Amino acid sequence: METPRCRPAGAALLALGLAVLAAPAAAQEDTGFEVNIVLSAKAAATLAARHEAMVIMVDYYGWPKKGSQKHADEMGQIGFGPSRDIPIPGIAGRYAVPAVRLDPQHLGWLEGPVQVNVNIASARKSSDDNLLDCDIIDGPLAEARQAPKTLACKLIGEATGTPAKP
């Protein structure tokens, strides 16, 4: 005789098991965050006058655990692919860094959390040279995800001054 309760309970357990198995994959894609870029008055004016854009350059990496050093690059880091370049307008503001999928095999080689390095540069539309000197982010991805980090930018060679409002 068949008990009607067995099937729903079994289906619920199967669904729970699948959700648990899927959780690490979802966590791997939990890499998006926001940055708040402020520009000095001179930098804002120069970018506007030149119709220049900016680029957010993002690298994900981590430090290898014992036995995984053979997978590290020349800097001793486990990398997650090439730098991601995100084009943005040449104006101050809050910008999203979209989530990316990190290689699960590389995640297994890490000792500690995933790190993120973020740099801002001019898009080099009006000049072959970068025009901007900006703060960077270099630390745990979890910290970058907590709240938008502010990166102040000025022109290369410009004395430190009061940034323009976003």
Side-chain angles (χ1 to χ4, degrees), residues 37-113:
I37 299 173
V38 294
L39 298 169
S40 70
K42 283 185 179 182
T46 300
L47 293 178
R50 292 180 171 215
H51 306 286
E52 186 62 77
M54 296 184 289
V55 176
I56 302 172
M57 298 171 288
V58 183
D59 289 291
Y60 298 94
Y61 69 96
W63 301 107
K65 63 184 173 185
K66 190 172 186 170
S68 295
Q69 294 93 343
K70 64 185 175 194
H71 303 292
D73 62 17
E74 63 280 353
M75 302 271 299
Q77 302 171 345
I78 302 293
F80 287 93
S83 180
R84 287 150 180 94
D85 293 344
I86 303 160
I88 58 173
I91 57 174
R94 184 177 288 187
Y95 296 96
V97 174
V100 295
R101 182 163 165 65
L102 301 178
D103 186 330
Q105 184 176 28
H106 290 205
L107 288 169
W109 297 334
L110 298 185
E111 177 73 36

Side-chain angles (χ1 to χ4, degrees), residues 85-148:
D85 293 344
I86 303 160
I88 58 173
I91 57 174
R94 184 177 288 187
Y95 296 96
V97 174
V100 295
R101 182 163 165 65
L102 301 178
D103 186 330
Q105 184 176 28
H106 290 205
L107 288 169
W109 297 334
L110 298 185
E111 177 73 36
V114 173
Q115 306 288 311
V116 65
N117 179 274
V118 179
N119 290 282
I120 310 297
S122 61
R124 295 179 172 92
K125 292 181 177 185
S126 65
S127 168
D128 289 340
D129 298 324
N130 175 33
L131 304 173
L132 298 173
D133 176 9
C134 300
D135 296 337
I136 66 167
I137 297 172
D138 192 29
L141 173 60
E143 287 180 19
R145 290 187 43 76
Q146 285 177 355

